[in-house]
Amino acid sequence: MTNTAKLLAGVAGLIMTASTTLAADFTFKYGNEQPETSIRSQSMDWFKTELEKRTDGRIEVENFFGAALGNEREMMDQVTAGLLQGTRGGFFADASGAFNLYQLPFLVANWDEMECLVGSDFTKGVQARAEANGYHIPATGISQGFRAYTNNVQPITSVGDLQGLRIREPQSDLMIATGTAIGSVPVAMPFSEAYQAFKQGVIDGQHNPPQNIWDFNIHEVQKYLTLSNHMTGPDPLIVNKAWYDGLPEDLQATFDEVAVEAMAMSDKLYRDAETNIVGELGKHMEINELTPEALAGFQEAVAPVYQQMIDAGHFTMDDIDSARAAAASCG
């Protein structure tokens, strides 16, 4: 190759690099607290690949996992301020208090009902309520599965076994009210701080879906796991509305389409993995399930939480009835 040809090839390469760099018209900066290997993070890597491909690079996605940008509270605040364009995590009530409804203990019986609920017109209505608070929510998934208790004191075989135990709770009014109703001592803290708190003996236990327990290595610092399946929750993709409103209509449509598919993929991966994860946890922890009688005791203890949340103005009894009807509508 002549020097001239080499020069032209180099210039062409620079032009191609520059046009690739300039191709993105919009940047979607996203963060979550779970590690890069978690299913939530994997689904957002898929979201990045698909969105960039389907928009021909007009939207660039920057993902930050493992609390690289802060804990869930901090990242939610960053989305509110427009410093971050999107997140998934436990502060969905900032977007709409109605999302608290999905965490009501024993609201649904199983995965099928929860999948039906998050895909329903009822949920689309809840998502729409977030617009008034400055958020766009294109899709809602299931927050990693159904929750189980872990602790270092004793197996939980009845609600009475939780009396007086210091249980880490998310920074959520509903979770704290539920913990109080069952007689535990709620200790609100980010989940990313729980591992060290267990090592220091600051708290006795916590509750989370098995996948989250595994992802955060809780099995290394806890002895007992109880498959209580007492609640699950929503997993909305929370997006800064001002950023979303700045997209052209065609990119908005593509963004929403990919978001719906990513959340469905996330739910399927969590559901498929749950049995295997419980098996892995069983290699490190003592696992037990609640009897029907013990479950009835839990249900009776947490019943007042429903009215407390209604009184707080997050949702109404009609909302609860509508959610239950939506959850049962796929059967």
Side-chain angles (χ1 to χ4, degrees):
M1 182 182 289
T2 67
N3 289 337
T4 301
K6 290 179 180 178
L7 178 61
L8 290 174
V11 170
L14 288 172
I15 292 172
M16 289 179 65
T17 301
S19 43
T20 301
T21 303
L22 298 173
D25 300 322
F26 303 93
T27 298
F28 181 72
K29 188 176 178 182
Y30 167 90
N32 60 240
E33 196 174 63
Q34 286 70 31
E36 186 173 0
T37 54
S38 72
I39 287 173
R40 177 174 281 172
S41 300
Q42 290 174 32
S43 67
M44 291 309 296
D45 273 336
W46 183 89
F47 175 86
K48 168 184 169 65
T49 300
E50 285 299 306
L51 186 61
E52 290 179 347
K53 180 174 71 175
R54 296 188 204 182
T55 62
D56 295 322
R58 292 168 65 196
I59 299 179
E60 177 187 27
V61 178
E62 296 179 355
N63 283 329
F64 297 86
F65 305 131
L69 300 179
N71 61 41
E72 288 187 347
R73 174 70 273 167
E74 292 164 340
M75 284 186 282
M76 188 67 196
D77 290 344
Q78 290 172 49
V79 173
T80 304
L83 302 174
L84 190 61
Q85 282 70 59
T87 191
R88 288 162 65 184
F91 290 94
F92 39 74
D94 288 12
S96 172
F99 274 120
N100 277 323
L101 183 154
Y102 296 72
Q103 288 188 312
L104 284 170
F106 304 105
L107 176 72
V108 297
N110 51 46
W111 275 93
D112 287 343
E113 288 190 2
M114 193 62 179
E115 286 181 352
C116 191
L117 175 56
V118 297
S120 68
D121 288 340
F122 175 84
T123 294
K124 290 181 176 64
V126 172
Q127 292 173 178
R129 298 187 200 185
E131 295 180 2
N133 296 319
Y135 306 97
H136 172 70
I137 298 179
T140 299
I142 301 168
S143 186
Q144 302 152 302
F146 284 77
R147 287 178 171 259
Y149 277 100
T150 70
N151 83 99
N152 277 327
V153 178
Q154 62 195 4
I156 305 301
T157 59
S158 71
V159 69
D161 291 329
L162 283 161
Q163 295 289 316
L165 294 191
R166 296 164 297 171
I167 302 295
R168 175 268 169 184
E169 295 286 355
Q171 295 155 293
S172 155
D173 291 346
L174 186 149
M175 293 286 198
I176 292 170
T178 301
T180 301
I182 62 176
S184 66
V185 179
V187 181
M189 69 170 62
F191 193 40
S192 56
E193 298 176 10
Y195 185 96
Q196 194 62 30
F198 287 128
K199 291 186 73 174
Q200 296 171 347
V202 175
I203 49 178
D204 299 312
Q206 63 84 49
H207 59 108
N208 253 288
Q211 183 72 52
N212 225 22
I213 293 169
W214 180 260
D215 287 339
F216 281 83
N217 299 314
I218 300 301
H219 56 281
E220 296 177 355
V221 288
Q222 293 272 269
K223 297 177 182 177
Y224 306 104
L225 184 147
T226 300
L227 298 174
S228 49
N229 295 329
H230 56 287
M231 63 170 63
T232 181
D235 184 16
L237 176 57
I238 303 169
V239 178
N240 179 279
K241 186 175 183 295
W243 178 87
Y244 177 83
D245 288 345
L247 297 176
E249 287 187 7
D250 63 323
L251 292 187
Q252 288 182 348
T254 303
F255 184 93
D256 291 351
E257 173 185 79
V258 177
V260 169
E261 293 177 23
M263 300 307 282
M265 169 192 177
S266 180
D267 290 346
K268 184 177 188 307
L269 289 175
Y270 276 123
R271 184 171 185 172
D272 290 349
E274 189 168 81
T275 300
N276 289 337
I277 290 295
V278 170
E280 289 299 314
L281 290 171
K283 297 176 183 178
H284 307 273
M285 309 172 76
E286 180 181 320
I287 297 180
N288 69 286
E289 296 187 44
L290 295 177
T291 65
E293 293 76 18
L295 277 172
F298 269 87
Q299 291 169 333
E300 181 179 356
V302 302
V305 175
Y306 280 58
Q307 191 59 50
Q308 288 178 44
M309 292 298 104
I310 291 171
D311 292 343
H314 294 309
F315 42 78
T316 66
M317 192 65 224
D318 285 342
D319 286 331
I320 296 172
D321 291 339
S322 295
R324 283 179 162 158
S329 64
C330 300

